[in-house]
Amino acid sequence: MRIRVNDIDWHYEEWSDSTGQPLLLLHGFTGSAQSWSSFAKLLSPQYRMIALDLPGHGKTPLPDRRLSLWELADALGEFITSLSSTPINVLGYSMGGRIALHLALKHQSILSRLILIGASPGIADEAERCKRKELDSSLAKAIREQGINWFVDFWERQPIFQSQKSLPADQRERLREQRLRNSSEGLAYALENWSSGKQENLLPRLSELTLPVLLLAGEQDSKYSAINQQMHSRLTGNSTNIVIQNAGHAAQLEQPELTAEYIRSFLS
């Protein structure tokens, strides 16, 4: 499905066997709405599952202008209000989780509950943040010069994704095919505008959130398990922090049934 909102031609997909409350799914870097396909079907009997392609990913083209994370949050806010007249639930994974956090801080009134999987509130140390920004800019340049096939090979070798080697071979192949369907320019654009290096440190602002928040991270993802503990301590009693056993950075892929059960319990 496609809808034009805020000068963006959003492509999105839905899975639903009920008239349940909406749950918007925001994928990670190199992902798309299709990344959620199998997982969304686990929750579709109870919820209206809506997954969109973020700009430059999948079938949503890049906008004509550069969007900061806060501007992207505004665009997503308009997308949400075009689909629902009541607050909805939002689930964001990795980059999608960071975007969801900006959305919640900017447009809290249109959200009911927030779920984050392997997401970060930003890098606190300014020098480290600048270094990450430089690295991401260099990587964006390399993607444009060497192409999507080179980049997907590079990306899949990153230590954070090594736990995904335990996935069945056909699932790993589908995941790779989804990554390859993205464009070099779309991924470079995301790195230059929505990377951790471009994100301000939102940790001090988490106390502004009054909606319920579910924080999820895989047991084998020690970095984001620790980050979730930091966020949990700032969310003034309205958050639930869960470590998912036998999972890495993408718990929804590596332990989908268990992850869905935690989400189902949180939303109900």
Side-chain angles (χ1 to χ4, degrees):
M1 288 174 276
R2 188 173 293 277
I3 184 172
R4 185 171 180 82
V5 181
N6 201 311
D7 296 327
I8 298 175
D9 290 315
W10 296 101
H11 174 263
Y12 67 99
E13 300 187 22
E14 288 197 36
W15 299 269
S16 179
D17 296 326
S18 72
T19 57
Q21 44 183 314
L23 175 55
L24 177 66
L25 307 171
L26 302 180
H27 61 77
F29 181 62
T30 77
S32 69
Q34 270 298 308
S35 304
W36 294 104
S37 177
S38 296
F39 182 76
K41 291 171 185 175
L42 296 175
L43 292 166
S44 62
Q46 294 85 30
Y47 302 98
R48 179 189 175 196
M49 307 297 291
I50 306 165
L52 57 71
D53 291 339
L54 291 166
H57 291 70
K59 297 178 182 178
T60 297
L62 286 171
D64 294 332
R65 57 192 173 90
R66 291 191 175 273
L67 293 178
S68 69
L69 282 162
W70 292 115
E71 290 169 331
L72 180 57
D74 289 337
L76 282 170
E78 291 193 32
F79 173 85
I80 289 170
T81 54
S82 72
L83 291 185
S84 176
S85 59
T86 58
I88 72 168
N89 305 302
V90 173
L91 163 57
Y93 160 65
S94 198
M95 180 186 77
R98 295 189 286 107
I99 292 169
L101 197 52
H102 284 77
L103 173 66
L105 285 167
K106 192 83 179 284
H107 300 284
Q108 188 166 184
S109 63
I110 65 173
L111 303 190
S112 178
R113 292 176 181 244
L114 176 65
I115 304 164
L116 304 175
I117 301 177
S120 170
I123 301 170
D125 183 79
E126 184 175 355
E128 184 181 347
R129 188 164 62 250
C130 289
K131 182 179 179 181
R132 178 58 185 267
K133 181 180 176 181
E134 292 173 1
L135 288 172
D136 288 335
S137 295
S138 296
L139 183 55
K141 183 174 183 290
I143 294 172
R144 289 189 175 101
E145 292 176 348
Q146 303 193 52
I148 190 68
N149 288 282
W150 168 84
F151 174 70
V152 170
D153 288 340
F154 166 83
W155 193 244
E156 291 179 341
R157 291 195 301 269
Q158 299 309 297
I160 199 169
F161 300 122
Q162 293 313 295
S163 60
Q164 293 179 16
K165 289 182 177 180
S166 64
L167 294 172
D170 60 335
Q171 187 176 358
R172 295 199 309 272
E173 184 59 31
R174 286 195 302 272
L175 183 60
R176 178 177 175 81
E177 289 173 357
Q178 289 168 12
R179 287 169 171 155
L180 286 168
R181 281 198 290 269
N182 291 308
S183 70
S184 299
E185 184 57 34
L187 297 184
Y189 177 102
L191 282 172
E192 291 172 338
N193 294 280
W194 310 327
S195 75
S196 297
K198 297 289 289 189
Q199 176 184 353
E200 64 185 89
N201 178 28
L202 301 178
L203 193 64
R205 293 191 56 186
L206 294 188
S207 59
E208 299 174 22
L209 295 178
T210 58
L211 80 171
V213 180
L214 175 62
L215 303 169
L216 298 172
E219 172 193 24
Q220 299 165 27
D221 189 2
S222 57
K223 174 182 176 179
Y224 284 90
S225 294
I227 287 173
N228 276 3
Q229 187 57 48
Q230 290 181 326
M231 290 198 286
H232 182 56
S233 68
R234 297 292 188 107
L235 284 165
T236 61
N238 62 322
S239 67
T240 302
N241 183 25
I242 294 175
V243 175
I244 299 178
Q245 301 301 305
N246 301 313
H249 187 57
Q252 75 280 9
L253 291 178
E254 298 171 51
Q255 291 293 337
E257 290 84 4
L258 185 56
T259 302
E261 184 55 39
Y262 283 130
I263 292 172
R264 193 179 292 112
S265 176
F266 173 70
L267 294 179
S268 62

